[in-house]
Amino acid sequence: QVQLVESGGGVVESGSSLRLSCVASGEIFSSYTLGWFRQAPGKEREFVAALNWRRGNTNYADSVKGRFTISRDAAKNTVYLQMNNLKPDDTAVYSCGVRVLQRYAPPSGDVPYDYWGQGTQVTVSS
C-alpha cells in the first residue's frame, strides 16, 4: 500500500502562485509515475502533470504548460506542483496519484493510477 498526502492548497487571486506538495509513504516501488490531477465542481477529473520518478521526465496538459512545473525531492519522497500565473479556471481539487510500473513507461495521464491522495482545494478568484 502507498499513502499519499497532499498539501499547499488555498485561496489566491488571479495571477498568483501556489506550490502543492504530495508526500508518499508506505510501500515505495522502484519504478512508478507520480501524477497530479484536478477536478472542478461538475466536471470530470482531468490530468495536469506527471513525472517518472526514476528518470525525472515529465508530461503536462496543454492548459498548464508554461505555468505549472512538476518536480520531486527523492530524499523526502515528495512531488511538488509549482503553479504560477493562476487563473480562475484552475480552481479545483488537486489530487496526486501513483501508477506502479513493471517497466519504464513515459509519464502519462491517460492510464489507470493505482493509488490516490485525498486532494487539496485550490481556489483562484478573479
Side-chain angles (χ1 to χ4, degrees):
Q1 291 290 326
V2 175
Q3 293 78 45
L4 302 170
V5 179
E6 303 96 334
S7 63
V11 180
V12 296
E13 294 182 347
S14 182
S16 299
S17 298
L18 279 175
R19 188 178 78 159
L20 306 183
S21 301
C22 174
V23 180
S25 61
E27 186 175 3
I28 303 298
F29 300 91
S30 61
S31 182
Y32 54 96
T33 295
L34 265 158
W36 283 100
F37 293 76
R38 66 187 183 187
Q39 187 167 19
K43 296 186 177 180
E44 293 188 354
R45 183 166 59 195
E46 66 171 350
F47 169 71
V48 176
L51 174 147
N52 179 276
W53 188 261
R54 177 176 290 178
R55 298 192 183 189
N57 52 323
T58 59
N59 186 19
Y60 296 91
D62 288 342
S63 59
V64 305
K65 280 181 182 177
R67 299 189 299 124
F68 291 11
T69 302
I70 187 171
S71 62
R72 73 194 190 291
D73 184 333
K76 296 181 179 180
N77 281 340
T78 300
V79 65
Y80 302 99
L81 185 68
Q82 177 67 43
M83 306 185 295
N84 298 328
N85 190 22
L86 283 161
K87 305 174 182 180
D89 284 349
D90 296 318
T91 295
V93 174
Y94 285 71
S95 301
C96 63
V98 165
R99 179 192 177 208
V100 180
L101 303 175
Q102 302 303 317
R103 62 180 64 86
Y104 172 75
S108 172
D110 295 328
V111 294
Y113 278 63
D114 301 294
Y115 302 97
W116 292 94
Q118 293 297 314
T120 184
Q121 175 71 46
V122 172
T123 303
V124 184
S125 62
S126 58

